[in-house]
Amino acid sequence: MIVKKLRENMRWSQEHLAALSGLSLRTIQRVEAGNSASNETLKSLASVFEIDISKLTETITVIDKTTENWQRAPIWVTIGMWGIRKRSTAILIEKLCVLIGVLGFLAHVTIPKFTPLVVFWFSAYWLAVSIRWIDKEGFW
């Protein structure tokens, strides 16, 4: 959900949003943590932000690399995500790297010139760790 991003854009505290929406602070915290929300909760939040309810259930899938949060990301994450902004793109590249790495590993037994393709296996691992780090930090 994008509640936290909307709240931060308005420069409101969680307490302020709770007061405006008529919800408890704990409910706001749960919604921002990604827990499911009732229709009544969504209606209250949509009313406060003056947006459609469907907007609240959208998932942020793009990294804004201009934010202060992104600037504090470790160098191994920024290198691993170089040129990638969407989570779906990162997952696709990760899967392709796994596939190429496995094929390279299997092929190197009969055709040694394919041995360098095993590097893609390690690239997939690097991407996987980077994606999970970004997920944990909530950058999407």
Side-chain angles (χ1 to χ4, degrees), residues 9-78:
N9 286 346
M10 301 295 277
R11 298 178 189 210
W12 293 341
S13 66
Q14 288 180 330
E15 294 82 4
H16 186 70
L17 178 57
L20 289 174
S21 63
L23 301 170
S24 71
L25 174 60
R26 185 68 189 125
T27 298
I28 300 297
Q29 291 168 340
R30 286 183 184 136
V31 169
E32 286 188 3
N35 295 325
S36 61
S38 70
N39 282 337
E40 292 304 314
T41 297
L42 292 175
K43 286 178 186 176
S44 296
L45 292 170
S47 175
V48 168
F49 291 121
E50 298 177 352
I51 59 173
D52 190 60
I53 290 177
S54 63
K55 180 81 172 161
L56 291 175
T57 57
E58 288 180 4
T59 304
I60 300 171
T61 59
V62 177
I63 298 174
D64 183 359
K65 293 185 177 180
T66 62
T67 64
E68 187 177 306
N69 283 343
W70 182 253
Q71 301 306 316
R72 68 176 175 81
I75 190 74
W76 59 270
V77 172
T78 57

